[in-house]
Amino acid sequence: MNFNSYIDGITTDAYRMLGFVIRNCRRFDNLDAIIAVYKSLVLSRLEYACVVWSSQYAERLNQLKRVQRKFLKLLYYKKLGLYPYRGF
Protein backbone atom coordinates (compact mmCIF):
# COMPACT_ATOMS: atom_id res chain seq x y z
CA MET A 1 0.00 0.00 0.00
CA ASN A 2 1.44 3.34 -1.07
CA PHE A 3 0.26 6.74 0.19
CA ASN A 4 2.31 8.95 -2.17
CA SER A 5 -0.60 9.74 -4.48
CA TYR A 6 -2.85 10.31 -1.46
CA ILE A 7 -0.41 12.84 0.01
CA ASP A 8 -0.12 14.57 -3.37
CA GLY A 9 -3.90 14.83 -3.50
CA ILE A 10 -4.08 16.24 0.02
CA THR A 11 -1.45 18.83 -0.83
CA THR A 12 -3.24 19.86 -4.01
CA ASP A 13 -6.56 20.21 -2.20
CA ALA A 14 -4.96 22.15 0.64
CA TYR A 15 -3.30 24.61 -1.75
CA ARG A 16 -6.59 25.05 -3.56
CA MET A 17 -8.45 25.77 -0.34
CA LEU A 18 -5.66 28.06 0.89
CA GLY A 19 -6.00 30.08 -2.30
CA PHE A 20 -9.72 30.34 -1.60
CA VAL A 21 -9.01 31.52 1.95
CA ILE A 22 -6.46 34.09 0.78
CA ARG A 23 -8.79 35.50 -1.88
CA ASN A 24 -11.85 35.69 0.35
CA CYS A 25 -10.15 36.89 3.54
CA ARG A 26 -8.31 39.72 1.84
CA ARG A 27 -10.36 42.39 3.61
CA PHE A 28 -10.43 40.70 7.02
CA ASP A 29 -8.64 42.65 9.73
CA ASN A 30 -9.24 40.20 12.56
CA LEU A 31 -6.47 37.59 12.56
CA ASP A 32 -8.49 35.24 14.76
CA ALA A 33 -11.19 35.07 12.09
CA ILE A 34 -8.64 34.23 9.39
CA ILE A 35 -7.12 31.53 11.59
CA ALA A 36 -10.55 30.04 12.24
CA VAL A 37 -11.31 29.89 8.51
CA TYR A 38 -7.88 28.34 7.83
CA LYS A 39 -8.34 25.70 10.52
CA SER A 40 -11.77 24.72 9.33
CA LEU A 41 -11.06 24.61 5.59
CA VAL A 42 -7.35 23.86 5.14
CA LEU A 43 -5.93 22.35 8.30
CA SER A 44 -8.77 19.85 8.59
CA ARG A 45 -7.78 18.48 5.17
CA LEU A 46 -4.11 18.29 6.10
CA GLU A 47 -4.75 16.44 9.34
CA TYR A 48 -7.37 13.98 8.13
CA ALA A 49 -6.10 10.39 8.60
CA CYS A 50 -2.52 11.53 9.16
CA VAL A 51 -2.18 8.99 11.97
CA VAL A 52 -2.29 6.19 9.40
CA TRP A 53 0.52 7.32 7.11
CA SER A 54 2.57 9.91 9.03
CA SER A 55 4.96 7.46 10.68
CA GLN A 56 5.85 5.82 7.36
CA TYR A 57 6.17 8.93 5.21
CA ALA A 58 8.00 11.45 7.36
CA GLU A 59 9.99 12.67 4.34
CA ARG A 60 6.77 13.69 2.58
CA LEU A 61 5.70 15.91 5.48
CA ASN A 62 7.72 18.81 4.03
CA GLN A 63 5.17 18.93 1.24
CA LEU A 64 2.42 19.57 3.77
CA LYS A 65 4.51 21.96 5.84
CA ARG A 66 4.87 24.24 2.81
CA VAL A 67 1.12 24.84 2.85
CA GLN A 68 1.27 25.88 6.50
CA ARG A 69 4.32 28.06 5.89
CA LYS A 70 2.48 29.90 3.13
CA PHE A 71 -0.39 30.61 5.51
CA LEU A 72 2.01 31.87 8.18
CA LYS A 73 3.49 34.28 5.65
CA LEU A 74 -0.02 35.60 5.00
CA LEU A 75 -0.56 36.17 8.72
CA TYR A 76 2.81 37.93 9.00
CA TYR A 77 1.81 40.24 6.15
CA LYS A 78 -1.60 40.93 7.69
CA LYS A 79 -0.07 41.76 11.07
CA LEU A 80 2.95 43.85 10.03
CA GLY A 81 2.11 45.01 6.52
CA LEU A 82 5.19 43.53 4.84
CA TYR A 83 6.22 40.13 3.64
CA PRO A 84 8.73 38.15 5.70
CA TYR A 85 12.26 37.78 4.41
CA ARG A 86 13.19 34.65 2.51
CA GLY A 87 13.87 31.69 4.76
CA PHE A 88 11.56 32.96 7.49
Side-chain angles (χ1 to χ4, degrees):
M1 190 167 205
N2 192 347
F3 287 103
N4 288 331
S5 62
Y6 178 73
I7 295 171
D8 290 339
I10 288 174
T11 306
T12 303
D13 288 344
Y15 271 122
R16 195 173 292 144
M17 289 308 297
L18 182 60
F20 177 79
V21 169
I22 289 171
R23 283 189 308 274
N24 291 307
C25 294
R26 187 168 289 154
R27 295 186 180 170
F28 286 13
D29 291 331
N30 188 355
L31 294 181
D32 292 331
I34 298 171
I35 292 171
V37 171
Y38 170 77
K39 284 182 179 179
S40 63
L41 294 177
V42 180
L43 194 60
S44 62
R45 292 176 191 256
L46 292 176
E47 292 181 345
Y48 179 73
C50 69
V51 175
V52 175
W53 53 263
S54 67
S55 62
Q56 299 171 355
Y57 292 92
E59 71 275 357
R60 299 291 302 254
L61 288 178
N62 287 333
Q63 215 175 338
L64 302 175
K65 287 180 183 178
R66 281 188 211 121
V67 177
Q68 292 180 334
R69 197 174 308 125
K70 187 172 182 176
F71 177 70
L72 290 175
K73 288 179 181 180
L74 169 73
L75 286 182
Y76 189 92
Y77 176 75
K78 285 285 195 179
K79 177 115 176 138
L80 300 176
L82 56 116
Y83 286 104
Y85 57 90
R86 190 171 184 100
F88 177 73

